[in-house]
């Protein structure tokens, strides 16, 4: 199956700092990637759709200035959490699909803890 | 996107067959049914996808009746390592379409 790599797997930062999370499709090209957030004991919540070469599309309630998404190539999308605060602590997951049936392949996730 | 309904939780013992049913009454003609598995602190993993009748792979089987308003994920002879959350999703399969996750079914397998 296709492989999506996500780094880092875990990050701890101080309040007010920015954190960048990378999502790479290793063996396929992805025009579109997706970013999700998951709180403990809850399901995945779609944050935004990352489009190569264009602006990301954010879901309602997600602050685009706080969660900066850059999709500069067909294999890399980054999510930057700017001026992170404790309430941003969560599990962030990216996904991409290499095929026409839209079977999504997910990264391993990034556990963000803001102190 | 068609809404799905599945049990919140299920319990099983090692070696048993587990069947998880998902209801999707408003499924559209072009929609596929896809199941994912998620372990704690990991990203979801694709299990199986189908459109109609029965699909089987090395991990599971997916049964879809003729009206396609429901589907059943069948896990043969589960083990402790099958303890996870299972999500049923329905969508038109177009590339670039986001997945909207429901609550999923938490399967707990005991020895």
């Amino acid at each position: 199956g296709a492989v999506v790599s996500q780094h880092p797997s875990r990050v701890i930062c101080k309040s007010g700092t920015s954190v960048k999370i990378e999502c790479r499709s290793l063996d396929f090209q992805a025009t579109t990637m997706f970013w999700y957030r998951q709180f403990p004991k809850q399901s995945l919540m779609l944050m935004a759709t990352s489009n190569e070469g264009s602006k990301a599309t954010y879901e309602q309630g997600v602050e685009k200035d706080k969660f900066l998404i850059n999709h500069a190539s067909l294999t890399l999308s980054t999510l930057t959490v700017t001026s992170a605060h404790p309430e941003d602590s969560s599990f962030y997951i990216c996904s991409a699909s290499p095929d026409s049936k839209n079977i999504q392949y997910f990264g391993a996730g990034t556990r963000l803890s803001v102190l | 996107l068609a809404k799905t309904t599945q049990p919140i939780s299920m319990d099983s013992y090692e070696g048993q067959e587990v069947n998880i049913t998902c209801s999707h009454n408003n499924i559209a003609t072009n929609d596929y049914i896809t199941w994912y598995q998620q372990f704690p602190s990991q990203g979801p993993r694709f299990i199986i996808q189908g459109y109609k009748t029965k699909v089987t792979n090395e991990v599971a089987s997916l049964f879809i009746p003729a009206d396609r308003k429901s589907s059943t994920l069948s896990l043969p002879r589960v083990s402790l390592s099958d303890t996870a959350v299972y999500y049923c999703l329905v969508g038109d399969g177009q590339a670039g379409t986001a997945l909207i996750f429901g609550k999923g079914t938490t399967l707990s397998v005991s020895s």
Side-chain angles (χ1 to χ4, degrees):
Chain A
V3 179
V4 173
S5 175
Q6 186 174 340
H7 293 281
S9 59
R10 184 178 181 89
V11 59
I12 302 172
C13 69
K14 292 182 179 180
S15 184
T17 60
S18 294
V19 174
K20 179 184 285 188
I21 303 170
E22 292 188 349
C23 181
R24 296 180 185 272
S25 55
L26 296 187
D27 50 2
F28 66 97
Q29 294 183 332
T31 305
T32 303
M33 292 184 175
F34 303 97
W35 289 95
Y36 297 84
R37 179 166 54 182
Q38 187 174 33
F39 293 106
K41 304 292 186 182
Q42 295 187 22
S43 185
L44 285 80
M45 182 177 67
L46 179 67
M47 297 177 65
T49 301
S50 173
N51 302 298
E52 188 269 336
S54 65
K55 292 182 179 180
T57 304
Y58 292 83
E59 295 300 301
Q60 189 173 6
V62 178
E63 300 176 58
K64 63 180 181 180
D65 294 330
K66 181 168 190 60
F67 299 99
L68 300 180
I69 291 174
N70 184 277
H71 196 153
S73 77
L74 288 172
T75 59
L76 174 63
S77 175
T78 61
L79 168 68
T80 301
V81 183
T82 62
S83 187
H85 291 285
E87 58 266 29
D88 298 322
S89 298
S90 188
F91 191 54
Y92 293 87
I93 311 169
C94 68
S95 76
S97 175
D99 59 38
S100 60
K101 290 187 178 179
N102 202 33
I103 295 173
Q104 294 284 327
Y105 292 87
F106 291 80
T110 298
R111 174 76 59 192
L112 172 63
S113 299
V114 184
L115 304 180
Chain B
L1 295 172
K3 181 179 178 180
T4 61
T5 303
Q6 49 184 125
I8 294 297
S9 63
M10 293 183 69
D11 296 314
S12 182
Y13 291 97
E14 284 188 292
Q16 290 187 332
E17 178 184 78
V18 172
N19 297 308
I20 306 174
T21 298
C22 178
S23 297
H24 28 80
N25 292 317
N26 297 321
I27 190 169
T29 303
N30 295 331
D31 285 345
Y32 287 84
I33 301 157
T34 311
W35 286 79
Y36 292 85
Q37 174 193 55
Q38 186 182 26
F39 297 113
S41 297
Q42 294 187 27
R45 182 176 74 104
F46 168 77
I47 300 175
I48 197 166
Q49 184 185 71
Y51 183 80
K52 62 180 179 181
T53 62
K54 175 183 175 182
V55 180
T56 297
N57 61 22
E58 65 277 7
V59 177
S61 294
L62 180 59
F63 299 91
I64 305 169
D67 66 5
R68 304 201 326 123
K69 293 184 182 298
S70 67
S71 59
T72 299
L73 174 72
S74 182
L75 304 174
R77 299 181 60 79
V78 295
S79 64
L80 296 176
S81 63
D82 292 315
T83 294
V85 180
Y86 293 82
Y87 295 99
C88 163
L89 288 94
V90 175
D92 62 13
Q94 284 195 24
T97 303
L99 300 180
I100 305 300
F101 284 80
K103 297 183 186 300
T105 297
T106 299
L107 172 64
S108 299
V109 181
S110 304
S111 59

